[in-house]
Amino acid sequence: MKPSHTVNTDPFSAMLRRTRLAAIVRGSDADAALRTVLALLDEGVALVEVSLNTTDALGVIRRAVAEAGPAARVGAGTVLTEDEVARAREAGATWIVTPALSESVAASVRAGLPVLAGALTPTEAVAARRAGADAVKLFPASLGGPSYLKALRDPFPDLPLVPVGGVDLTSAGQYLAYGAVAVGVGSPLVGDAAHGGDLDALRVRARRYVTACAAVPEGERA
């Protein structure tokens, strides 16, 4: 992948709504995880999160940013503490994802980093926004499925929701049709690539997800 020399200045929330897709990379092989991140970026997945429980996650983020250039939007995921926010920022992460409402949400806001904060219930989702989250990571989305997201949007039509957890190619379109601003996809998209698996198959899946998510532009929802 050739580094880009064009800095991407889109605000995170606008980019999330425009691209409709964030990939989640979690793997046991640091070199394979790096190759996975770069392949996803190369195939048009503009937002890629590297979970901190990936082997040498901060190193993967640092190397991905150096390789892909300033246009890349590489984030850090599974971020729980203020220290993890600081270290992720130092490594070059430009956005933060949390699995829950932890101290990392406020720390990200103070650091000026966009944050996708994990929540499940209506109370948690509202609290996440009040804490300064740019969007709410509905997690685990598989617990209620697309119908649960649709039910949440009835009382909270303006709440920016990003379902994560068990989102496959079929349900991605359903979530977006029901009002999700984007979807976060891990293993159904990444497969075994971040563990040293098939990178060519990953590229095929990435193109399918990019196409499927783009097919439901914001504003054209059920």
Side-chain angles (χ1 to χ4, degrees), residues 14 46 90 99 115 144 146 172-173 187 195:
E90 183 181 1
V115 57
S187 57
H195 301 287

Side-chain angles (χ1 to χ4, degrees), residues 31-57:
D31 290 336
L34 173 63
R35 291 192 295 270
T36 298
V37 173
L38 295 176
L40 288 165
L41 293 170
D42 196 38
E43 294 298 339
V45 182
L47 294 168
V48 181
E49 164 200 338
V50 178
S51 173
L52 290 191
N53 53 21
T54 293
T55 299
D56 190 26

Side-chain angles (χ1 to χ4, degrees), residues 12-166:
F12 174 77
S13 57
M15 191 172 183
L16 193 65
R17 291 174 181 274
R18 178 172 60 80
T19 63
R20 321 305 308 284
L21 171 66
I24 303 159
V25 174
R26 180 181 293 106
S28 56
D29 182 321
D31 290 336
L34 173 63
R35 291 192 295 270
T36 298
V37 173
L38 295 176
L40 288 165
L41 293 170
D42 196 38
E43 294 298 339
V45 182
L47 294 168
V48 181
E49 164 200 338
V50 178
S51 173
L52 290 191
N53 53 21
T54 293
T55 299
D56 190 26
L58 296 177
V60 172
I61 292 170
R62 187 175 292 107
R63 293 159 65 195
V65 171
E67 179 99 9
R73 289 289 181 89
V74 181
T78 321
V79 180
L80 287 168
T81 69
E82 184 171 359
D83 179 64
E84 288 173 344
V85 171
R87 290 190 288 121
R89 184 184 188 190
E90 183 181 1
T94 58
W95 51 292
I96 299 294
V97 184
T98 79
L101 289 175
S102 65
E103 64 185 65
S104 55
V105 178
S108 299
V109 173
R110 288 195 300 270
L113 288 172
V115 57
L116 183 58
L120 179 62
T121 68
T123 300
E124 291 171 347
V126 170
R129 284 290 278 171
R130 288 179 176 172
D134 294 77
V136 177
K137 169 185 170 181
L138 188 64
F139 177 79
S142 58
L143 195 62
S147 61
Y148 178 62
L149 181 140
K150 185 177 182 181
L152 272 181
R153 291 197 74 247
D154 286 340
F156 307 115
D158 298 321
L159 194 64
L161 296 170
V162 180
V164 176

Side-chain angles (χ1 to χ4, degrees), residues 146-205:
S147 61
Y148 178 62
L149 181 140
K150 185 177 182 181
L152 272 181
R153 291 197 74 247
D154 286 340
F156 307 115
D158 298 321
L159 194 64
L161 296 170
V162 180
V164 176
V167 179
D168 60 17
L169 197 58
T170 298
S171 63
Q174 294 173 334
Y175 281 117
L176 293 172
Y178 283 160
V181 297
V183 292
V185 188
S187 57
L189 166 57
V190 174
D192 63 356
H195 301 287
D198 192 338
L199 211 59
D200 290 333
L202 166 71
R203 288 181 176 275
V204 171
R205 289 191 299 272

